[in-house]
Amino acid sequence: MENQANTKQTARGRWKLLLVIAVCAAPLLASYFMYYVVKPQGGQTNYGTLLDPRQYPIPAMASRQLDGSPASLADYRGKWIMLKVGPSDCRQDCQDQLFAMRQLRTMQGKAMDRIERVWLITDEAPLDTMLIRVNDGTRMLRAPAATVAHWLPVEQGAAAASYVYLIDPLGNLMMRFPQGAVSSDTARAARVSKDLAKLLKASAIG
């Protein structure tokens, strides 16, 4: 009798846990449904590519801030993260990405505080001081290149540095914008901004 009671109590505990998880995840799932399934605007589709976060869980990696102190993407949970990766030798395409990320965040108006910009730097070379100043507000973390490359999905022949990715407030990698979309090309950047605006509007969290 005692064993039966314990079994029932354990089962009830599991159901309660599943219910709590479902309640927490419901707002995000609802926003995805509204964004990708309902499509109220004449069937218009998203610009970014939707990713299955189960296939690309954020890996454990020894990332750190520029001063060497430990830091990770998990530190920004609760926010939407625009993520770019690449080496410290930030040439024009890289600089255009960083500038466009800043502009895209600003374009969200009052919702801009719901977004963080993160650059995972995949080497140990020093960054240009002016680059750091110009991109004040961008979270710059050093991360192992091999881990980052193994994690982020790319099209055949492309490099992760060519894209900007989106991580949702629950820590799920959920979207990849096309190569060159987050750049000085204002028409393409406007389409990215529209994706962001729709997600922020549909989401009750983050």
Side-chain angles (χ1 to χ4, degrees), residues 35-204:
Y35 184 59
Y36 295 108
V37 180
V38 177
K39 296 186 178 75
Q41 298 180 353
Q44 184 176 356
T45 58
N46 50 287
Y47 185 44
T49 300
L50 181 65
L51 304 173
D52 183 347
R54 295 171 298 179
Q55 296 183 23
Y56 309 105
I58 298 177
M61 50 185 162
S63 53
R64 62 193 189 283
Q65 298 183 69
L66 298 182
D67 63 5
S69 58
S72 72
L73 292 173
D75 296 340
Y76 312 114
R77 283 187 71 126
K79 296 286 187 77
W80 293 88
I81 299 174
M82 279 193 291
L83 177 73
K84 80 165 257 77
V85 303
S88 56
D89 184 13
C90 189
R91 304 196 177 185
Q92 192 60 53
D93 287 349
C94 167
Q95 293 177 36
D96 288 346
Q97 274 186 331
L98 291 169
F99 177 77
M101 286 168 65
R102 183 177 68 191
Q103 294 299 101
L104 285 166
R105 179 177 179 272
T106 301
M107 288 165 67
Q108 304 313 311
K110 293 180 180 179
M112 63 184 288
D113 290 337
R114 299 169 65 188
I115 300 172
E116 288 284 1
R117 297 164 289 145
V118 178
W119 176 16
L120 290 183
I121 303 164
T122 53
D123 61 28
E124 298 298 321
L127 285 181
D128 181 79
T129 302
M130 185 57 66
L131 182 68
I132 297 173
R133 290 178 180 173
V134 168
N135 293 285
D136 182 44
T138 299
R139 312 293 186 174
M140 300 180 183
L141 308 180
R142 295 194 188 274
T147 303
V148 172
H150 182 72
W151 167 41
L152 294 173
V154 299
E155 295 175 320
Q156 186 173 4
S162 301
Y163 303 94
V164 167
Y165 299 83
L166 191 65
I167 297 173
D168 71 25
L170 297 181
N172 299 308
L173 180 68
M174 54 80 64
M175 183 174 282
R176 181 189 67 205
F177 293 110
Q179 293 186 71
V182 180
S183 67
S184 56
D185 185 329
T186 54
R188 301 185 75 186
R191 297 180 68 183
V192 174
S193 179
K194 193 169 184 178
D195 270 7
L196 289 173
K198 287 196 293 183
L199 277 170
L200 291 169
K201 184 178 180 179
S203 173

